[in-house]
Amino acid sequence: VGLVTVAGFVWWFVYFPEGGNLSWAHLTRFQACDKLPGGASNCEVFRDRHPTTIAMSVLVVVEMFNALNNLSEDGSLLVVPPWDNQWLLAAIATSMGLHFFILYFPPAAAVFGVIPLSGHEWFVVVALSAPVLLVDELLKAVSRRRRHAAAANRTGGELSPLLGMAGITVAGGLGS
């Protein structure tokens, strides 16, 4: 989570055409920006609220994806669909609605020190955040395989391959 949050910050300063257009060296020496060629004018870019807003938005979206991942301890989202938990979907929608309110309602944005993001910036926020779904699906698959192998060892034989796809839901029942 921390790495993708920092990646959003760095992306805006270094790679985004409408961003800071800084070199890595300039970004990593931000505390001495007034000593670089161009003087104090080099420091203005660090007052822009875009990178911190992007970093915060990445953090929010990653956590919403993590909430989806936690529908089941080790059942895939392909097996335990998100619409099975309407309360979770409502909570995610409410959280994102509040986040959009903070970004796009000027008095709230002023209180929180954020600014609205462009469509391109939102695309990057989602692109940086989405891999958490794939990482967690991979970890769940490893967990299912280990559990399946342990169960096969206990029974002295091979169990159904479908058992490897089953998940234990948050409620504790056997998912399918």
Side-chain angles (χ1 to χ4, degrees):
V1 174
L3 288 177
V4 295
T5 302
V6 171
F9 191 81
V10 170
W11 168 81
W12 190 88
F13 276 117
V14 177
Y15 299 107
F16 186 44
E18 298 166 30
N21 295 311
L22 302 178
S23 68
W24 179 252
H26 188 173
L27 180 59
T28 57
R29 291 177 183 82
F30 71 93
Q31 292 173 322
C33 58
D34 58 334
K35 294 175 180 50
L36 294 170
S41 64
N42 285 323
C43 300
E44 285 301 312
V45 71
F46 296 110
R47 290 184 183 86
D48 196 305
R49 303 310 291 157
H50 277 93
T52 54
T53 303
I54 289 170
M56 181 183 75
S57 297
V58 166
L59 183 61
V60 168
V61 174
V62 162
E63 292 306 332
M64 296 305 104
F65 284 147
N66 270 331
L68 285 174
N69 279 333
N70 288 311
L71 278 168
S72 172
E73 182 179 344
D74 62 359
S76 171
L77 277 174
L78 300 173
V79 176
V80 182
W83 51 86
D84 279 359
N85 189 333
Q86 297 294 319
W87 289 106
L88 177 64
L89 294 180
I92 291 171
T94 301
S95 297
M96 290 306 299
L98 288 170
H99 186 67
F100 292 138
F101 174 78
I102 289 168
L103 293 182
Y104 296 100
F105 184 63
V111 168
F112 285 92
V114 295
I115 56 172
L117 298 179
S118 70
H120 187 198
E121 289 166 325
W122 270 112
F123 177 82
V124 171
V125 165
V126 173
L128 288 170
S129 303
V132 74
L133 290 169
L134 298 174
V135 169
D136 204 49
E137 286 295 312
L138 178 64
L139 293 173
K140 287 178 181 185
V142 169
S143 174
R144 285 189 303 270
R145 292 245 181 224
R146 285 186 176 173
R147 193 177 73 244
H148 179 68
N153 286 340
R154 279 193 308 271
T155 62
E158 185 63 30
L159 296 175
S160 165
L162 292 178
L163 182 60
M165 288 301 293
I168 298 173
T169 62
V170 175
L174 188 60
S176 56

